[in-house]
Amino acid sequence: MWLDLFLDNVLSATNTLYSNNAIVATLLVFLMVATITDIRALKIPDKLNGLFFILRLALIPIIGISFNNVLGAIIGFFLLLIPAMIRMHKMGGDIKCMTVVGFYLGAYITPVFIAITCIYGLVYSLFKLFITKKKGNMPFAPFFLLTHITLWLITNLF
């Protein structure tokens, strides 16, 4: 019952969000730049995260804001912070990036976004492990970008 309500809210929020070209384009640019820097240096700069946070604030007159957006940022922050702390993993830039993305997406889409991102990351990790037999740090921003594109495609094609 509550799951049906949650999924209905996720579907409604996704359709609303991904029909807004300002949000889609802003997130696309942000995640593309974050992906490039994360692949090159395994780091997402604080300046980049700060810039897109400020841009989201500047977009308030155009796209609005609600408690749902703030809650999305909080959810994004804690859903990456807690596993990073448990595993003692350095993911500061990724956590801040997901916090900003959660601020754009809102509370309903953010957990789904993170789940899809983790599935992409798991598939990549397993593939890398089987091919190279090596474990190691990997950039996480490319999976954020891939998830954003996936949700946009699903929303606009179906």
Side-chain angles (χ1 to χ4, degrees), residues 35-47:
T35 294
I36 292 167
T37 60
D38 204 15
I39 288 172
R40 288 184 179 167
L42 287 177
K43 187 172 184 157
I44 303 171
D46 289 342
K47 288 179 183 179

Side-chain angles (χ1 to χ4, degrees), residues 40-107:
R40 288 184 179 167
L42 287 177
K43 187 172 184 157
I44 303 171
D46 289 342
K47 288 179 183 179
L48 178 66
N49 289 323
L51 173 69
F52 278 90
F53 177 76
I54 291 168
L55 182 58
R56 175 60 179 96
L57 294 176
L59 288 172
I60 289 173
I62 299 169
I63 59 178
I65 191 168
S66 69
F67 180 69
N68 186 36
N69 297 104
V70 175
L71 193 55
I74 293 168
I75 290 168
F77 177 79
F78 282 109
L79 283 180
L80 288 189
L81 176 69
I82 292 168
M85 288 178 64
I86 291 170
R87 299 209 22 129
M88 302 297 280
H89 219 6
K90 295 180 182 179
M91 291 182 60
D94 295 319
I95 293 167
K96 293 171 200 164
C97 180
M98 191 59 234
T99 301
V100 173
V101 170
F103 193 45
Y104 280 83
L105 299 178

